[in-house]
Amino acid sequence: MAFIIVEPCIDVKDSACVIVCPVECIYEGPDQYYIHPDECIDCALCVPECPVEAIFEEDDVPDQWLDYIEKNRAFFDD
């Protein structure tokens, strides 16, 4: 299951999640961080480290941010 970073990360880009990731699967984009779905090992260490509570399991993304699932996929499809 992939983790998705959603709207509260926009323009905040606090790197606390990046620092704790044991497989370095969190990448910086122009406006936020993104978690690579194929590299993530689902350890969830990033979730409690996010100061703006912007990281969710894909199946738990709140309805108002469901479009971030596709945004995450598109980031890695480029």
Side-chain angles (χ1 to χ4, degrees):
M1 165 123 5
F3 281 83
I4 305 294
I5 299 176
V6 299
E7 185 175 288
C9 184
I10 297 289
D11 296 326
V12 172
K13 295 199 300 188
D14 184 294
S15 64
C17 60
V18 177
I19 294 167
V20 299
C21 181
V23 294
E24 300 177 1
C25 71
I26 303 174
Y27 295 85
E28 186 172 0
D31 60 347
Q32 70 173 77
Y33 284 107
Y34 295 86
I35 299 173
H36 196 296
D38 296 330
E39 296 175 4
C40 180
I41 59 170
D42 301 326
C43 69
L45 290 174
C46 58
V47 176
E49 294 303 315
C50 181
V52 293
E53 299 179 4
I55 305 173
F56 296 89
E57 287 188 70
E58 185 173 350
D59 289 345
D60 294 332
V61 171
D63 289 344
Q64 72 266 30
W65 295 321
L66 288 175
D67 56 329
Y68 281 81
I69 296 171
E70 181 54 37
K71 183 178 181 185
N72 190 78
R73 285 191 189 117
F75 180 78
F76 292 106
D77 283 346
D78 293 340

